[in-house]
Amino acid sequence: MCSHLALLHALSIIGLVGAFIGGGLHEGRLASHLQQKHPEVWADLRHRKIMFVEGDMQTAAMQRYLWRGEHKNLQDAKLNSMVFTGWLWAALFLGSAVTLIFVQDRVSTATYRACLGLL
């Protein structure tokens, strides 16, 4: 018989990978929306300084801008909806990671073989 922990383990891995990929794609759409609909804000984000961040400073500035809730001043319903969806992706990622941490040591290869009917 298949263990509930094995199913939870498999679902947490799927959730973690899915949230990582989906969240990354969603972030790109969010940046594109902000760039197209609010070019003045996007240009302002280019000039903000973020300490200890290497790489794309504008994306890091966008994340901080959204984290602080400054986007609410734009009164863009679609942007607010996209930010909420981003929070859901982050919650799925963190929830899957925490579940994986707690279940990882309790599931063995033998458990998965039993689930697949290989024993």
Side-chain angles (χ1 to χ4, degrees):
M1 184 168 149
C2 192
S3 168
H4 295 293
L5 288 177
L7 292 175
L8 188 60
H9 185 259
L11 286 175
S12 63
I13 291 173
I14 292 168
L16 192 67
V17 171
F20 183 77
I21 294 169
L25 294 173
H26 181 73
E27 182 181 359
R29 287 191 301 267
L30 188 65
S32 177
H33 177 80
L34 198 59
Q35 185 178 9
Q36 291 174 0
K37 300 294 182 185
H38 305 286
E40 67 284 348
V41 173
W42 187 252
D44 178 52
L45 292 175
R46 184 178 304 129
H47 302 294
R48 293 189 183 193
K49 301 293 181 197
I50 306 291
M51 292 181 66
F52 307 118
V53 175
E54 295 182 21
D56 188 5
M57 298 294 263
Q58 197 166 15
T59 304
M62 178 191 74
Q63 299 247 341
R64 190 173 194 188
Y65 176 81
L66 297 173
W67 176 260
R68 289 182 172 181
E70 295 177 47
H71 66 282
K72 293 177 184 175
N73 296 333
L74 299 174
Q75 297 180 351
D76 182 350
K78 181 169 176 140
L79 180 63
N80 291 339
S81 173
M82 291 177 80
V83 169
F84 180 74
T85 304
W87 282 108
L88 292 177
W89 281 115
L92 177 62
F93 183 83
L94 291 175
S96 297
V98 168
T99 303
L100 187 61
I101 288 169
F102 285 114
V103 176
Q104 180 72 32
D105 293 338
R106 296 187 176 117
V107 179
S108 65
T109 306
T111 310
Y112 277 116
R113 286 184 179 166
C115 287
L116 297 173
L118 299 175
L119 285 179

